[in-house]
Amino acid sequence: MVRYYWGRPQDVVRWYLRGTLYLSAQSRQSYIEKTGADPGNLPRLLKLLENLDDIFDSVDTDSIAVLCLRYVELLSIAETTKRTGLPAYQITVKTGKFMKKAKDIIAKV
């Protein structure tokens, strides 16, 4: 029997993604209510939240993990640019190399 400290990897990724999507949807909803802005991608986000379990049941965990890594990579480029002073394209090249290594590691597991 394999034991995981935080739970099964698929469940951990699912719970983390659900929490992140929920917070994003709440933030967007609050912004729309305060400013009267266009809903933008909120309906798609809510539909994704609603169908998250079905998506997880039909896609392997490794693919979802790679997508999550890519999402985090994209979010971190602006912050890394600000902290390091490097241009975004240099950071993109470096993180692209990291993502390739991450994909290779996941593919081997």
Side-chain angles (χ1 to χ4, degrees), residues 3 29 33 60 71 75 79 89 97:
R3 291 181 180 230
Q29 182 68 39
E33 289 171 0
D60 66 298
Y71 181 68
L75 289 178
E79 183 66 24
Y89 74 89
K97 289 178 185 175

Side-chain angles (χ1 to χ4, degrees), residues 40-103:
N41 68 348
L42 182 61
R44 286 188 359 210
L45 186 57
L46 294 173
K47 185 171 179 103
L48 177 60
L49 259 171
E50 182 181 314
N51 295 308
L52 194 61
D53 288 329
D54 292 337
I55 293 168
F56 263 83
D57 292 341
S58 65
V59 178
D60 66 298
T61 306
D62 293 344
S63 297
I64 293 170
V66 170
L67 290 174
C68 290
L69 283 171
R70 180 71 178 146
Y71 181 68
V72 170
E73 171 200 356
L74 293 174
L75 289 178
S76 66
I77 289 174
E79 183 66 24
T80 307
T81 299
K82 188 167 48 172
R83 289 181 183 210
T84 64
L86 292 171
Y89 74 89
Q90 283 184 335
I91 295 165
T92 302
V93 168
K94 289 179 182 186
T95 55
K97 289 178 185 175
F98 167 77
M99 286 301 297
K100 183 176 179 341
K101 287 181 185 178
K103 289 176 189 175

Side-chain angles (χ1 to χ4, degrees), residues 4-18:
Y4 297 105
Y5 182 75
W6 294 100
R8 288 185 5 208
Q10 184 171 7
D11 293 336
V12 172
V13 172
R14 184 186 311 215
W15 296 328
Y16 177 78
L17 189 56
R18 184 184 315 281

